[in-house]
């Protein structure tokens, strides 16, 4: 079976009302963020689900909604988390 893009997976699942669950790496690639930022988002309440083996999966729509909730455009939430980490390291 050929690898499907995220857009293809979303289109295939749309009629069922389901949405693909992203791995941490897929979430990082989608938003262009570091593993540290994903962990900070998680600690700040970013929605995720645990699967057997302790791994995490993220519902893209739920993450986008969470980011919008943090700040109207979502970009500020990423900047705040990054600033928080820089301040903590100083």
């Amino acid at each position: 079976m050929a690898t499907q893009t995220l857009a293809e997976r979303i289109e295939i699942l749309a009629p069922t009302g389901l949405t693909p669950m992203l791995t941490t790496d897929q979430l990082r690639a989608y938003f262009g963020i570091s593993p540290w930022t994903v962990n900070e988002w998680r600690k700040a309440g970013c929605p995720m689900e645990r699967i057997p083996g302790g791994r995490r999966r993220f519902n893209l729509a739920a993450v986008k909604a969470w980011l919008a909730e943090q700040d109207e455009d979502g970009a500020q939430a990423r900047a705040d988390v990054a600033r928080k980490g820089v301040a903590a390291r100083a």
Side-chain angles (χ1 to χ4, degrees):
M1 179 176 180
T3 303
Q4 297 171 334
T5 66
L6 179 57
E8 290 169 336
R9 289 171 53 209
I10 290 170
E11 186 178 327
I12 290 167
L13 292 172
T16 66
L18 298 174
T19 182
M21 299 297 282
L22 305 181
T23 65
T24 300
D25 285 342
Q26 290 168 330
L27 186 73
R28 288 181 46 228
Y30 184 87
F31 286 104
I33 57 176
S34 69
W36 181 86
T37 301
V38 173
N39 283 330
E40 290 301 304
W41 284 6
R42 184 184 52 77
K43 288 188 241 177
C46 180
M48 62 148 208
E49 295 194 29
R50 291 258 186 198
I51 62 169
R55 296 188 175 150
R56 299 177 179 99
R57 293 294 183 265
F58 300 86
N59 176 319
L60 183 58
V63 172
K64 285 180 176 181
W66 178 79
L67 284 172
E69 211 174 85
Q70 304 306 302
D71 186 87
E72 294 273 323
D73 64 3
Q76 188 61 44
R78 284 182 268 167
D80 289 346
V81 169
R83 271 196 302 276
K84 179 180 171 186
V86 170
R89 288 186 231 147

